[in-house]
Amino acid sequence: MRISTRHAVRTVQVLSVTVTAALVATGCGRSEDSGPGNDAPAKLGAGKAKGTVVMWSLGDPDDNLKNLAKKFEQENPDATVKITAVPWSAAHDKLTTAVAGGNTPDLSMVGSTWMPEMAAMNAFQATPSSIKSSDFYPGQWDTTKYKDTSYGVPFSADTTVVYYRTDIIEKAGIKGAPAADREGYLKDLKAIQATAGKKNPKLRHATGLVMGFNSWIFWLPMVWQQGGDIYDAKTGEFTFETPEVAKALEYWASVPKQGLAPTDRSDNVQGFRDGLLATYQEAAWAGGSFHKDAPELDGKWKTMPVPYTKQPAGFAGGTDLAVFKDAKNPDAAWKFAQFLTEPANLAAYAKVTGSLPPAPRAWTEGKLTEDENMKAFEEQLKVSRPQPAITTWQQIADAIDGELEKLALGKATVAEVQKALQSKATSIGTGR
Amino acid sequence: MSTKTLPDRGDTHKQSTAGPERSAGRRNSGLRSPARGRQARAAWILAAPFLALFAVFMLVPVVWSLLMSLTDTKSADLRTPLNVSFTGIDTYVRLFQDDQFFTALRNTGVFVLVALPLTLAAGLAAAVALDRGIRRFRAVFRVGFYLPVITSIVAVAVVWKTLLEPRAGLVNLVLGWFGIDGPAWLADTRFALPVMIVMAVWRNLGTVMIIMLAGLQSVPQSLMEAAELDGAGPWQRFWRVTFPLLRPALLLTAVTTGIGYLQFFDEPFVMTGGGPLDSTLSATLYAYNQFGNGNYDMASAASYVIFVLIVALTVLQFRVLRSVD
């Protein structure tokens, strides 16, 4: 018994030493006047890149990025690029752990909604001034910002458009695409729903909604389309109790209430392919996957920009390239990031991976709109913007997801949802 | 420096439970020989790798987490720990003001209170049936019942999710043959949690069964014969002879399964993400989400609440299943 007590004491002693050491190790060596939102742009040396650059890429290991790295190595003979693929599902944890432990690569792809959170962790260097914001779509550039300082370069853009089945909507008497304004679009959906049964035996619902996780991505732009927002960056306050938010919520609720969309969490992609749904909103990868997995559908579906009320708006997601404060070779890392985001390279990367380039010049140089279905995405990128750049965003987003589900299932009214969101968001706050 | 090894009351007057812990106790008390020092040193050396790993990967995080639960640590503080301030029980106060946490606790409670007795009963029934009735196919059934236990829970969850898919799933297809329009099981607040309870019982009864079966097979035939001679019928023989002898096995499975159920996580994580409307949100999933959101203080506090609940449930089970001697 006594043995174990003495050991417990010693263990606690060892522990406290370890903890203190860790605190000192991570806390020291940082000057007071720089920090999240306050950093001066990184400075790059002249000449070619030298040394080894370690990069993490998100998603499947992809050869296309490696080919670009080879091209970079040819242009910079003294530089070597090492790329490690990190699966998306593990990426957030892996990045935060690496930052916390000061054990990061030189640069990494970072999910755009994580940028404020990780910038606030003091993880990234501020973008050098040689990288011009005007080269990118404004919404995509804004994803790199935290407290008005940019901490990365947009690398791939992700926004959603409406996919529609031409063969199904034709039977509802719709010529061309469904209406581009919300009112008209809703009317078209009703007309499509009316054809379920005799005219469209397979059709269950005119459209598909995303229920639960990540439904905010589809709802938030509806607020912007009303000219409103959920957060005022100037006052630092949430504005869920505004008429614009009410309108967006009403619109969201009206679709399932009128039976135009299912409220279960069934798979929209599969539903669209099988003809159970006539329209739904999805990102660019879906087009490629239809072509690959369901070639019989080729020519039976098209895309259109998201219908809007007062002004067009969409959500800007995707990935940014960020260089870490703990990078061993920051100079070469920024040079590689700069190289990757040159229009020709962005276009080459996007073409193979099915993502969208975040820079207008990449679209022109890569002739991306030669595919008719890409035009809607280009149009959408021009009006897309990111979520509020606050570190607690994921929690706010979870709260919105939960309340939207209540609304769609008829368990809460628009006013109740507004009140709940305002109080939840206020108590979550915006982080330090 | 005497080590206290006297077995406590519960063990002394029972003959049939000379389990491993008792024999170990006896060996311990014989350690006063001169070789003791050397043996102890060897023991420590042999245990050292485990102890080192245990300290680094279990003890440090556990203590650290306790410390964090008493501060306001967020993910943004990891690199600037000097910003963290000690807030005492403030995090716990905030935790208990969070309705979502209560929802999570309630769901976990319902899950444990319903699934645990069902699992024990089903496992015991399966063991008795295998021991008595279906002797010939015992091996087949044993494997059949035990297979779900050793299958990865994620694989199980994915398969069940496919079976329960509202439009194309096998369950609703079969219901359709009988003219029943099956619900969207996992997207319906009335069914999502019950479905997971059924799944947990199906998955875990094999563990209970295999341990009970071992217990049943160790019941001395002579006792049964004696009871039979005394005129006890099959029911009486089961309740008066077999069941009391199974109590240690029951305690073991009740405690381990109970702890597992209080940590209910994988099923909602894979199948519903805690929805619809938080109806399958468990306490551990709540803690996980808080951690993912960078609220390390809240995640730690929630983990410690779960820890206290586990200790409480375990103590309760020991009381209930042991006191009847």
Side-chain angles (χ1 to χ4, degrees):
Chain A
M1 269 321 209
R2 235 178 287 155
I3 298 182
S4 62
T5 322
R6 211 196 298 145
H7 268 262
V9 170
R10 204 176 301 159
T11 319
V12 171
Q13 284 170 342
V14 169
L15 265 180
S16 3
V17 172
T18 323
V19 171
T20 322
L23 291 182
V24 171
T26 49
C28 70
R30 299 194 190 289
S31 62
E32 287 291 311
D33 45 339
S34 80
N38 243 339
D39 292 289
K43 287 204 176 64
L44 295 193
K48 294 189 182 252
K50 280 183 203 123
T52 307
V53 178
V54 180
M55 172 177 173
W56 285 358
S57 81
L58 301 190
D60 300 329
D62 75 78
D63 289 334
N64 193 48
L65 195 61
K66 289 199 172 131
N67 291 339
L68 287 173
K70 264 182 211 144
K71 205 172 137 199
F72 179 76
E73 285 170 348
Q74 279 161 11
E75 290 175 17
N76 302 273
D78 293 336
T80 326
V81 180
K82 281 188 187 157
I83 294 171
T84 310
V86 180
W88 268 103
S89 55
H92 182 269
D93 289 351
K94 206 166 151 74
L95 282 168
T96 41
T97 320
V99 171
N103 189 22
T104 61
D106 293 301
L107 82 159
S108 177
M109 278 160 64
V110 179
S112 67
T113 52
W114 307 339
M115 288 297 290
E117 181 196 344
M118 293 182 188
M121 287 173 77
N122 209 7
F124 303 140
Q125 299 192 358
T127 315
S129 38
S130 55
I131 296 177
K132 294 271 175 294
S133 62
S134 52
D135 286 347
F136 299 88
Y137 289 110
Q140 295 299 327
W141 181 262
D142 284 347
T143 65
T144 66
K145 286 212 267 193
Y146 174 65
K147 289 190 179 169
D148 288 330
T149 306
S150 172
Y151 283 98
V153 201
F155 184 50
S156 69
D158 194 0
T159 193
T160 60
V161 300
V162 172
Y163 285 73
Y164 60 93
R165 288 278 301 256
T166 46
D167 54 336
I168 297 177
I169 69 161
E170 233 169 55
K171 293 182 186 154
I174 297 166
K175 303 223 163 56
D181 66 294
R182 286 267 175 218
E183 287 303 311
Y185 184 69
L186 210 54
K187 243 181 237 161
D188 282 345
L189 287 184
K190 278 182 209 156
I192 296 167
Q193 191 69 48
T195 65
K198 274 185 197 158
K199 279 193 205 160
N200 279 318
K202 272 190 180 172
L203 185 76
R204 295 278 186 92
H205 293 99
T207 191
L209 280 181
V210 169
M211 297 291 290
F213 186 64
N214 273 351
S215 48
W216 65 269
I217 288 181
F218 304 91
W219 173 76
L220 189 52
M222 294 179 184
V223 182
W224 298 331
Q225 290 171 356
Q226 299 284 347
D229 206 342
I230 57 163
Y231 175 69
D232 185 341
K234 274 186 204 117
T235 60
E237 275 175 25
F238 292 96
T239 52
F240 281 104
E241 287 179 299
T242 51
E244 290 85 2
V245 171
K247 283 220 174 103
L249 287 171
E250 270 158 27
Y251 185 82
W252 179 271
S254 71
V255 175
K257 202 181 280 170
Q258 299 180 56
L260 302 176
T263 51
D264 59 57
R265 300 187 182 195
S266 46
D267 189 351
N268 283 336
V269 186
Q270 196 61 38
F272 186 77
R273 263 179 61 172
D274 294 348
L276 307 176
L277 302 175
T279 76
Y280 85 120
Q281 221 176 307
E282 187 59 88
W285 59 266
S289 93
F290 291 144
H291 179 67
K292 205 175 111 220
D293 303 332
E296 71 277 6
L297 280 189
D298 279 356
K300 289 187 183 164
W301 59 270
K302 279 188 174 163
T303 60
M304 62 180 265
V306 180
Y308 62 93
T309 38
K310 286 188 183 154
Q311 59 194 49
F315 174 70
T319 59
D320 299 327
L321 296 174
V323 174
F324 292 90
K325 282 203 169 144
D326 286 327
K328 291 188 186 72
N329 193 355
D331 190 73
W334 277 120
K335 281 173 180 158
F336 186 48
Q338 210 160 358
F339 166 85
L340 284 177
T341 50
E342 281 168 16
N345 294 336
L346 281 179
Y349 181 76
K351 250 186 193 163
V352 179
T353 58
S355 64
L356 307 170
R361 261 183 63 207
W363 281 78
T364 8
E365 281 187 27
K367 296 185 181 153
L368 290 177
T369 44
E370 275 177 4
D371 177 354
E372 199 62 27
N373 283 320
M374 291 301 276
K375 279 187 182 151
F377 285 100
E378 192 196 16
E379 220 165 293
Q380 204 65 47
L381 278 182
K382 288 178 191 158
V383 295
S384 289
R385 49 198 271 204
Q387 84 290 348
I390 53 180
T391 59
T392 52
W393 174 251
Q394 192 54 53
Q395 292 168 76
I396 309 279
D398 288 349
I400 297 176
D401 285 347
E403 294 297 321
L404 285 180
E405 193 171 21
K406 277 189 203 164
L407 194 62
L409 294 174
K411 306 260 177 183
T413 65
V414 167
E416 282 164 1
V417 164
Q418 281 186 286
K419 211 174 153 202
L421 281 176
Q422 183 69 21
S423 82
K424 274 188 194 174
T426 310
S427 80
I428 292 169
T430 58
R432 276 197 206 114
Chain B
M1 240 194 253
S2 70
T3 35
K4 178 183 167 245
T5 52
L6 275 180
D8 50 22
R9 245 192 75 247
D11 283 348
T12 42
H13 56 276
K14 268 214 247 154
Q15 344 133 335
S16 59
T17 53
E21 74 263 46
R22 282 230 309 165
S23 45
R26 230 178 259 139
R27 216 176 298 136
N28 253 348
S29 54
L31 276 179
R32 287 171 192 278
S33 65
R36 194 194 164 210
R38 232 183 309 140
Q39 273 192 359
R41 209 177 312 133
W44 280 112
I45 290 171
L46 286 174
F50 164 76
L51 289 177
L53 290 175
F54 176 79
V56 172
F57 293 106
M58 299 290 289
L59 209 55
V60 172
V62 162
V63 175
W64 201 306
S65 172
L66 181 64
L67 292 178
M68 272 202 302
S69 76
L70 301 172
T71 65
D72 58 354
T73 315
K74 307 279 175 208
S75 57
D77 299 322
L78 285 179
R79 284 169 61 101
T80 44
L82 296 177
N83 287 348
V84 174
S85 38
F86 181 79
T87 53
I89 60 161
D90 180 58
T91 312
Y92 290 90
V93 173
R94 276 189 294 134
L95 184 69
F96 282 105
Q97 282 166 350
D98 188 352
D99 292 341
Q100 212 186 21
F101 183 62
F102 280 104
T103 308
L105 280 184
R106 197 190 59 221
N107 293 338
T108 309
V110 169
F111 183 79
V112 174
L113 288 181
V114 179
L116 184 59
L118 279 181
T119 312
L120 295 177
L124 185 59
V128 171
L130 283 183
D131 191 52
R132 297 274 171 77
I134 2 180
R135 268 177 196 274
R136 212 190 293 170
F137 301 105
R138 192 147 70 187
V140 178
F141 279 99
R142 211 153 38 177
V143 171
F145 280 122
Y146 199 65
L147 208 56
V149 178
I150 52 167
T151 310
S152 151
I153 174 72
V154 175
V156 167
V158 170
V159 169
W160 275 65
K161 195 178 167 185
T162 318
L163 291 175
L164 293 166
E165 216 279 329
R167 282 192 300 240
L170 192 64
V171 173
N172 280 359
L173 194 72
V174 172
L175 285 178
W177 294 342
F178 300 98
I180 302 168
D181 195 12
W185 298 97
L186 295 171
D188 192 318
T189 45
R190 291 167 302 169
F191 293 112
L193 192 61
V195 161
M196 285 180 192
I197 291 176
V198 171
M199 197 175 132
V201 172
W202 167 81
R203 187 177 131 80
N204 290 308
L205 74 90
T207 316
V208 181
M209 176 207 68
I210 218 97
I211 292 172
M212 294 295 177
L213 203 53
L216 283 172
Q217 283 165 358
S218 70
V219 172
Q221 202 55 39
S222 56
L223 271 183
M224 296 306 261
E225 278 164 13
E228 211 172 345
L229 277 179
D230 287 345
W235 270 111
Q236 272 185 315
R237 282 206 301 274
F238 178 76
W239 284 115
R240 299 285 165 85
V241 182
T242 316
F243 190 73
L245 291 177
L246 282 179
R247 198 177 283 137
L250 197 63
L251 178 66
L252 173 75
T253 48
V255 169
T256 49
T257 315
I259 291 175
Y261 282 178
L262 270 170
Q263 295 171 332
F264 174 48
F265 174 83
D266 308 73
E267 296 90 339
F269 180 71
V270 175
M271 295 167 77
T272 59
L277 296 177
D278 289 344
S279 63
T280 58
L281 183 79
S282 70
T284 32
L285 187 56
Y286 174 90
Y288 176 87
N289 288 341
Q290 289 290 348
F291 191 83
N293 287 338
N295 291 328
Y296 298 162
D297 50 354
M298 291 284 264
S300 300
S303 306
Y304 268 88
V305 171
I306 299 167
F307 168 72
V308 169
L309 287 176
I310 289 177
V311 172
L313 181 79
T314 309
V315 169
L316 186 77
Q317 284 170 330
F318 268 87
R319 284 272 161 83
V320 169
L321 286 166
R322 268 200 147 169
S323 61
V324 211
D325 271 327

